Amino acid sequence: MLLQARSLRPVLIVVSLLSIIILLDLSRSESYIANHAQSHPLLSPYFPPESPDLVSVALDGTWKEDIKTVNDFNKVFEERLEECRNGSGPCNKNQDKVVILAWYHFRRSLEGHMQGEAVWCDAMMDAMHALGYTLLLVQNRTHFEDLWRRHHASVQLIIWEDSDFGAGAKPCLRNSTCVYAPSGLDLPLPPPNSTHLNIPIWKVFLAHWWNSPSEPLGSPFTLSPEPYNRWPNGKNGGKDNFYVGYSLERTCLKTPFTPHAQRPRQAYVLAKSLRYFVMPSYILPDDQGVTENQLNDDFYANLSRTDNITWLGQFKLDEMPKELPPHPPPGITQVERMDRSAFQRLVSQSRVLFGIGRPYLSPSPYEALCLGVSFINPVSGWDQEDLENREKWDAQQGGLLFTGVDEPYVYHVKVGDRDGFARAVRKAMETPIERFIPPHMKMSALIDRMKVLLETDCRPTALVQMKDTKYAFN
């Protein structure tokens, strides 16, 4: 009985202290009481802290705001990893698991690049960081090998690219001195040695922007930014890829929403290079096939005059053929180069984002929708015998076409239809929309997919793919 009474003493203390807290202020919420209990030395063992809100962590983004170099980035994560290993600091869930980010676009995202692949990498890093993983960036092939040799026992995944560029994966994935890929994928894993890296082939995933699988193990080991499985047959070569996708919520939600009535009658032209106006994909091709005429087209100037529309755009000039004039068509004002946050602020002041055929699958239309700006999506291909069958269309932003996003958010207009483009611009000018984020592009959806990717044992799938693809070393 004495032992039982003593064992009850801590419980009685907890109950007494709780009673005092409640009596002192009954108006306080449960969360208030729990927060104070968590900070009290006697009560904290009975009130463990709640798990962090993963979406909030991912949308915060401040964790990498002051990190500008690969060395600084890796230093932060390797110090946390070492604290976890030796017990000198906290060791949160997944902190002891390493993801090697070998694709160079991860590094470029840290440098502020706006290319679609860098935007994708930025979002993936936010999701993996929220899940608690240790992330390590790669500078070059020598650096990659050093990271692997030092951390191989903790590596959960490697995200790479099927290329020869820089530290690209192509020289490695069929090289017996680089990957570990015996016919049965035998365990236990051999550690790296002086001649062999012994990277398990089932831990290597290749990030690929386009609608197709990457070699050598094909779709299950290819990461995609778009849900290509939702595209129609014949246009969905990447339908079996692992759709990890991306989210723009963290950056676009930081840009204030401008009410439609407060915006100027402004249209932003989506084209990162001036040469897009003279490419075969351009939306208003010259009837005589004279590309220079496309730079003198009065389409934009006419709408400026008749509908009081201001056209803005940001175009690289250095990629233009020298024999062509280095200016956009009349009526379009060239703006200075800017970073991503400034670009989003400028787009948010517009009423429409106007596509001209390229770039394909750009994140910018999704950014515009998140800012409450409609997008005009050029349709570049269709069946002449079945004009309205969208499954037979090709578009600049196929992700919006084939996931069913339509007016007033997205206006799909066939290339060459001058009147159709003019009508779409006028309608978008007068039809306000609120912020719109497709459900599959929410940060919560990205985190869910990333969890599956990082927590799945892919060795059985690799065995199947090795047989199906007749995988062999060079």
Side-chain angles (χ1 to χ4, degrees):
M1 290 296 294
L2 183 60
L3 288 173
Q4 289 176 349
R6 285 178 178 172
S7 65
L8 284 172
R9 224 172 264 170
V11 177
L12 292 172
I13 293 172
V14 170
V15 172
S16 300
L17 287 171
L18 271 179
S19 301
I20 293 168
I21 292 171
I22 294 168
L23 287 171
L24 283 173
D25 194 345
L26 289 170
S27 66
R28 298 294 191 177
S29 65
E30 285 183 31
S31 60
Y32 173 87
I33 295 171
N35 288 338
H36 281 262
Q38 287 164 7
S39 63
H40 195 284
L42 288 176
L43 297 178
S44 58
Y46 302 94
F47 288 85
E50 296 178 4
S51 299
D53 177 0
L54 298 181
V55 173
S56 296
V57 174
L59 293 180
D60 175 38
T62 54
W63 65 277
K64 61 180 185 293
E65 280 183 355
D66 297 326
I67 302 175
K68 304 301 180 186
T69 69
V70 171
N71 286 339
D72 288 345
F73 184 97
N74 287 0
K75 181 181 179 182
V76 169
F77 279 99
E78 288 191 295
E79 285 178 354
R80 290 174 64 246
L81 180 63
E82 186 58 28
E83 289 175 354
C84 183
R85 286 173 174 169
N86 62 28
S88 62
C91 192
N92 299 315
K93 184 178 180 181
N94 297 324
Q95 189 174 323
D96 59 340
K97 298 171 184 173
V98 173
V99 180
I100 295 181
L101 307 175
W103 194 19
Y104 74 100
H105 283 293
F106 283 107
R107 188 173 72 246
R108 287 168 66 87
S109 74
L110 195 67
E111 297 164 354
H113 286 259
M114 294 171 60
Q115 190 174 353
E117 290 88 341
V119 171
W120 182 21
C121 288
D122 187 48
M124 286 195 286
M125 286 198 294
D126 284 334
M128 288 184 281
H129 170 69
L131 289 167
Y133 287 85
T134 290
L135 310 178
L136 298 177
L137 292 170
V138 170
Q139 302 248 35
N140 50 47
R141 188 166 301 282
T142 301
H143 184 223
F144 169 78
E145 292 182 7
D146 173 65
L147 289 175
W148 171 254
R149 290 183 183 280
R150 288 193 290 116
H151 300 296
H152 65 93
S154 302
V155 172
Q156 192 82 353
L157 200 75
I158 299 170
I159 301 181
W160 226 340
E161 181 192 33
D162 181 22
S163 76
D164 295 307
F165 180 78
K170 187 168 282 188
C172 176
L173 294 181
R174 291 189 183 275
N175 185 338
S176 62
T177 67
C178 190
V179 292
Y180 175 74
S183 58
L185 297 185
D186 306 321
L187 296 176
L189 292 176
N193 55 47
S194 59
T195 59
H196 289 67
L197 290 174
N198 287 323
I199 300 168
I201 196 166
W202 62 90
K203 292 192 176 187
V204 175
F205 278 76
L206 303 177
H208 184 55
W209 188 259
W210 306 109
N211 192 349
S212 60
S214 291
E215 294 183 350
L217 295 189
S219 286
F221 291 85
T222 304
L223 303 181
S224 288
E226 294 275 359
Y228 293 127
N229 61 317
R230 298 176 67 176
W231 293 34
N233 290 333
K235 303 179 186 295
N236 59 351
K239 64 182 172 62
D240 295 322
N241 292 359
F242 189 102
Y243 168 55
V244 65
Y246 60 100
S247 172
L248 300 165
E249 278 186 286
R250 179 177 64 79
T251 54
C252 78
L253 292 181
K254 287 182 179 179
T255 303
F257 177 84
T258 304
H260 202 261
Q262 296 177 19
R263 302 181 194 186
R265 294 181 60 78
Q266 178 174 297
Y268 191 92
V269 179
L270 174 61
K272 61 185 177 183
S273 173
L274 190 61
R275 68 188 176 96
Y276 291 172
F277 288 95
V278 296
M279 295 182 73
S281 56
Y282 180 57
I283 59 169
L284 301 173
D286 179 65
D287 292 339
Q288 307 301 316
V290 181
T291 54
E292 185 172 351
N293 290 346
Q294 294 169 193
L295 289 170
N296 297 313
D297 193 331
D298 59 5
F299 173 84
Y300 307 93
N302 285 343
L303 279 173
S304 293
R305 185 181 65 257
T306 61
D307 292 80
N308 190 30
I309 294 172
T310 299
W311 296 89
L312 302 178
Q314 180 185 186
F315 319 110
K316 292 180 183 177
L317 305 180
D318 55 357
E319 298 176 344
M320 278 292 285
K322 292 182 179 179
E323 66 273 14
L324 295 177
H327 61 73
I332 303 177
T333 300
Q334 164 87 298
V335 299
E336 295 181 355
R337 301 292 294 175
M338 62 191 81
D339 62 22
R340 189 175 173 195
S341 59
F343 168 76
Q344 289 186 338
R345 288 194 298 272
L346 183 58
V347 171
S348 73
Q349 296 293 317
S350 304
R351 298 192 180 199
V352 65
L353 181 70
F354 189 78
I356 66 167
R358 296 281 295 270
Y360 297 127
L361 296 177
S362 167
S364 296
Y366 294 118
E367 287 182 298
L369 292 173
C370 184
L371 296 167
V373 178
S374 301
F375 173 58
I376 294 178
N377 190 23
V379 176
S380 56
W382 54 87
D383 185 343
Q384 291 286 1
E385 304 299 321
D386 196 5
L387 290 175
E388 299 308 312
N389 185 347
R390 294 191 177 195
E391 291 195 352
K392 297 182 179 180
W393 287 5
D394 294 308
Q396 178 175 345
Q397 184 36 275
L400 288 168
L401 173 64
F402 297 125
T403 56
V405 185
D406 214 327
E407 297 183 23
Y409 302 101
V410 179
Y411 298 81
H412 307 289
V413 185
K414 293 184 176 68
V415 166
D417 185 358
R418 299 175 72 89
D419 291 340
F421 281 107
R423 281 193 303 272
V425 170
R426 291 185 178 114
K427 194 170 182 180
M429 283 283 160
E430 307 301 334
T431 310
I433 64 169
E434 296 299 315
R435 292 187 188 268
F436 174 73
I437 303 170
H440 61 280
M441 296 190 70
K442 293 276 192 178
M443 181 57 77
S444 56
L446 171 58
I447 289 173
D448 288 344
R449 293 188 296 266
M450 191 62 75
K451 278 191 70 174
V452 173
L453 174 65
L454 292 168
E455 295 176 6
T456 300
D457 179 5
C458 294
R459 182 169 162 267
T461 305
L463 279 168
V464 172
Q465 289 301 111
M466 287 173 66
K467 292 174 184 175
D468 288 351
T469 61
K470 297 180 171 57
Y471 174 86
F473 291 128
N474 290 334

